[in-house]
């Protein structure tokens, strides 16, 4: 489907101007189908009002004007088989996590059964065309505008050419052949679609009974006559515990089979896989099946927002799952764990092109961190800067002159009127390499001296940038996929050993897509869920409710997640607090 770059928001005025010659016909009762169709095109369709109605009137008016008001769905006063096929398609919109009621299916069905007047037939004709247009648009680009759902989603809303869509429907007797291919063709979307049906079936069958909540955690080898049978029943429903798994002679015993099943559940839900049934694990076990189905619906919408072409090779970061994957022709060739922004320094969602790497980088410290953290420490102890490899610069230019801290009158200073950067080395907060995709958020991928954080299940510890596990393995893969043949792993290692800042420009840029996906399906069909660490599920659920999507079962997924990650065992950067309220780690143009 062609994408239109035209701004359609002024559609209401344009549509009314286009249809103004038909207004006289609308003033009188319809004597025939043609006149009735004119009236409907002026007066609008009977579906619930949205801000797209003006745009739709314009598109429908032009389409039927080009056909000289010839009907598409109603012939000789009767709906055609093509109309019946479209109705069935609209009735099945729920399979994609959409709401069939948005497309006027109840009224369409009534008119198809009992609409025998010219006005009823014209209403049916317009309802079917509008339903097809609306459904196709929702499948192709999503029902909601990402930036209106959450201001931290920087995704361009695509527009499809509605006139071309209607023309293709007119040229094809099978509406499904035109409309269904508009949905994302990616396997991630198809697998989520299957998972939605699975969890809806679980919910319809009663879901699962809650596991009793108590304050004391249950550890392997301990006994609990109430919670252990309930836990086994719960794990059998979603398959972590096989239906024929043996039950110990003492059913109250937390045996090894049940422990391993619980660990599998914890891994599938992004929890610490320790086999301990604590409060957080029980909260997650007790999220109802219909809420999980709603969570899948929300992530189907997120995939509809994604660009259709991610690139032949690309990097995908899932903030909610703390993971990075590198794709070569849509096949994962490398994966890595990542650390992302805290709940107060959330990493945004956006796409850019990675263009260069930097070995032995400087860290240009953001002014807020300088003001709130470094300056107070340096004022108490001017040697603090040297201890942590910080240096003062007269300005932010590449050739700025360094300032000797010993020459400053620290006792009378109320602020630090200098740029601060941290020199390359083992103490550098960016580690030994960073991977740059220039953006207005100062977000990039980088190494870190705090390696232990990658072993945590919840890895929201950064200032906003994305810390990568084994970053030189990631860099090596990027060099290969971008045909940067002048650099290889041996040359990267040699540059690292020099200790000097080195820029590696990629021969071809590689797209990187920062996403936030809280429900996804593994290749083996396993459905994984993640906690809503940034509250973005909650915002999307509220927006869906406001747009009349039926999500009565949706509760804030954040209720089952910790308010934030527990404090790390060590600060992520020498001399700095783990989570100052800034976004990004600062950047420098090479």
């Amino acid at each position: 489907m062609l994408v239109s770059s035209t701004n359609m928001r002024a559609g209401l005025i344009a549509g009314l101007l286009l249809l103004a010659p038909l207004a006289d016909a609308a003033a009188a009762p319809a004597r025939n189908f043609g006149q009735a169709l004119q009236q409907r095109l002026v007066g609008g369709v009977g579906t619930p009002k949205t801000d797209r109605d003006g745009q739709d009137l314009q598109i429908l008016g032009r389409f039927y004007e080009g056909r000289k008001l010839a009907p598409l769905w109603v012939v000789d006063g009767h709906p055609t088989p093509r109309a019946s096929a479209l109705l069935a398609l609209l009735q099945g919109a729920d399979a994609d996590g959409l709401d069939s009621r948005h497309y006027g299916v109840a009224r369409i069905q009534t008119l198809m059964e009992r609409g025998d007047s010219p006005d009823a037939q014209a209403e049916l004709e317009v309802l079917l065309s509008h339903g097809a247009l609306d459904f196709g648009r929702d499948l192709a680009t999503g029902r909601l505008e990402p930036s209106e759902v959450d201001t931290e989603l920087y995704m361009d809303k695509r527009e499809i050419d509605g006139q071309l869509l209607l023309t293709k429907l007119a040229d094809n007797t099978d509406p499904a052949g035109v409309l269904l291919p508009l949905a994302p063709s990616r396997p991630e979307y198809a697998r989520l679609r299957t998972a939605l049906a699975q969890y809806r079936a679980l919910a319809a069958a009663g879901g699962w009974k809650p596991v009793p909540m108590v304050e004391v955690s249950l550890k392997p080898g301990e006994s609990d006559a109430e919670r252990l049978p309930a836990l086994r029943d719960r794990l059998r429903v979603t398959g972590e515990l096989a239906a024929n798994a043996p039950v110990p002679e003492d059913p109250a015993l937390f045996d090894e089979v049940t422990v391993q099943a619980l660990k599998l559940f914890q891994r599938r839900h992004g929890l610490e896989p320790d086999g301990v049934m604590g409060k957080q694990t029980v909260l997650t076990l007790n999220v109802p099946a219909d809420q999980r189905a709603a969570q899948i619906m929300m992530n189907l919408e997120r995939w509809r927002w994604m660009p259709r072409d991610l690139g032949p090779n690309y990097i995908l970061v899932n903030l909610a799952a703390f993971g990075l994957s590198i794709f070569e022709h849509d096949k994962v060739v490398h994966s890595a764990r990542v650390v992302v922004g805290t709940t107060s320094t959330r990493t945004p969602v956006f796409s850019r092109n990675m263009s260069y790497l930097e070995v032995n980088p400087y860290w240009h410290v953001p002014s807020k961190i300088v003001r709130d953290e470094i300056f107070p420490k340096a004022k108490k102890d001017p040697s603090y800067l040297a201890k942590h490899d910080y240096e003062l610069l007269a300005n932010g230019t590449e050739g700025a002159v360094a300032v000797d801290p010993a020459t400053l009158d620290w006792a009378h200073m109320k602020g630090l009127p200098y740029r601060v950067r941290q020199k390359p080395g083992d103490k550098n907060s960016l580690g030994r390499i960073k991977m740059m995709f220039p953006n207005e958020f100062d977000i990039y991928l980088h190494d870190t001296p705090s390696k232990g954080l990658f072993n945590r299940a919840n890895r929201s510890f950064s200032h906003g940038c994305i810390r990568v596990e084994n970053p030189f393995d990631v860099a090596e893969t990027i060099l290969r996929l971008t045909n940067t043949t002048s650099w290889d792993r041996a040359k990267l290692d040699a540059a690292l050993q020099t200790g000097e800042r080195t820029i590696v420009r990629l021969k071809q840029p590689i797209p990187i897509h920062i996403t936030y996906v809280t429900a996804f399906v593994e290749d083996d069909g396993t459905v994984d869920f993640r906690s809503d660490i940034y509250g973005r599920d909650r915002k999307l659920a509220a927006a869906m409710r406001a747009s009349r999507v039926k999500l009565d079962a949706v509760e804030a997924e954040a209720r089952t997640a910790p308010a934030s990650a527990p404090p790390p065992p060590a600060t992520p950067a020498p001399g700095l607090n783990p989570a100052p309220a800034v976004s990004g780690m600062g950047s420098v143009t090479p």
Side-chain angles (χ1 to χ4, degrees), residues 385-442:
L385 296 170
K387 289 177 183 177
H388 296 288
D389 286 346
Y390 291 115
E391 57 184 0
L392 304 182
L393 302 177
N395 55 57
T397 64
E398 186 70 17
V401 176
V403 177
D404 184 356
T407 64
L408 302 181
D409 184 6
W410 290 97
H412 296 91
M413 290 178 64
K414 296 183 178 180
L416 197 58
Y418 302 103
R419 293 293 304 272
V420 178
R421 73 178 182 185
Q422 194 173 32
K423 293 183 287 187
D426 292 335
K427 297 179 181 179
N428 190 286
S429 297
L430 305 185
R432 290 296 196 151
I433 188 171
K434 67 178 181 178
M435 291 155 259
M436 301 297 291
F437 38 102
N439 59 82
E440 63 270 38
F441 316 108
D442 285 344

Side-chain angles (χ1 to χ4, degrees), residues 129-141:
S129 288
H130 182 263
L133 174 63
D134 224 6
F135 178 58
R137 186 167 42 201
D138 290 350
L139 270 182
T141 67

Side-chain angles (χ1 to χ4, degrees), residues 87-106:
L87 174 59
L89 200 60
L90 299 179
Q91 289 171 326
D94 292 0
D96 283 88
L98 299 170
D99 191 333
S100 60
R101 296 173 302 171
H102 287 159
Y103 313 116
V105 294

Side-chain angles (χ1 to χ4, degrees), residues 136-379:
R137 186 167 42 201
D138 290 350
L139 270 182
T141 67
R143 179 156 188 85
L144 302 172
E145 176 76 40
S147 62
E148 293 177 1
V149 171
D150 189 335
T151 56
E152 294 172 350
L153 306 181
Y154 296 86
M155 310 175 75
D156 293 331
K157 177 75 170 181
R158 294 172 292 111
E159 292 284 353
I160 69 168
D161 189 327
Q163 190 105 4
L164 180 56
L165 173 59
L166 291 172
T167 299
K168 286 190 172 185
L169 285 166
D171 293 339
N172 194 315
T173 58
D174 177 22
V178 176
L179 294 172
L180 292 184
L182 295 174
S185 59
R186 296 189 60 83
E188 294 96 333
Y189 184 87
R191 291 196 290 258
L192 273 178
R193 200 173 181 270
T194 300
L196 177 59
Q198 174 187 345
Y199 273 79
R200 280 175 170 165
L202 285 175
W208 43 76
K209 295 180 180 179
V211 177
M213 173 70 75
V214 298
E215 292 299 320
V216 180
S217 297
L218 184 64
K219 298 178 180 179
E222 295 181 344
S223 295
D224 190 305
E226 181 184 18
R227 284 187 288 172
L228 260 302
L231 174 63
R232 293 189 185 98
D233 288 343
R234 167 64 184 87
L235 295 176
R236 288 190 187 98
V237 175
T238 46
E240 289 85 11
L241 184 65
N244 60 353
V247 177
E249 186 173 331
D250 178 6
L253 176 67
F254 199 2
D255 63 304
E256 184 62 21
V257 172
T258 307
V259 169
Q260 292 303 317
L262 182 60
K263 287 183 177 181
L264 177 57
F265 175 89
Q266 290 170 327
R267 283 192 292 271
R268 289 177 175 179
H269 293 76
L271 303 172
E272 296 285 355
D274 54 12
V276 176
M277 190 164 63
K279 180 179 180 180
Q280 187 59 44
T281 294
V282 176
L283 282 171
T284 307
L285 284 163
N286 291 344
V287 174
D290 53 1
Q291 183 174 323
R292 289 304 188 195
Q295 191 175 353
I296 294 170
M297 288 173 61
M298 289 187 281
N299 285 281
L300 284 167
E301 177 75 355
R302 288 186 173 117
W303 276 107
R304 290 189 287 264
W305 291 340
M306 288 286 288
R308 283 297 179 267
D309 183 8
L310 300 181
N313 306 314
Y314 54 91
I315 304 165
L316 204 63
V317 176
N318 185 355
L319 301 172
F322 310 110
L324 173 151
S325 298
I326 303 179
F327 288 77
E328 182 176 13
H329 302 301
D330 288 332
K331 300 293 184 183
V332 177
V333 294
H334 186 81
S335 296
R337 289 179 286 190
V338 300
V339 172
V340 305
T342 67
T343 55
S344 60
T345 58
R346 297 178 295 274
T347 308
V349 170
F350 65 101
S351 297
R352 289 294 187 274
N353 287 321
M354 183 178 292
S355 55
Y356 68 94
L357 316 178
E358 189 171 335
V359 182
N360 296 317
Y362 285 99
W363 178 35
H364 291 251
V365 185
S367 58
K368 182 174 176 58
I369 298 178
V370 173
R371 183 189 70 221
D372 295 345
E373 302 192 34
I374 291 181
F375 173 67
K377 292 181 173 69
K379 188 169 183 177

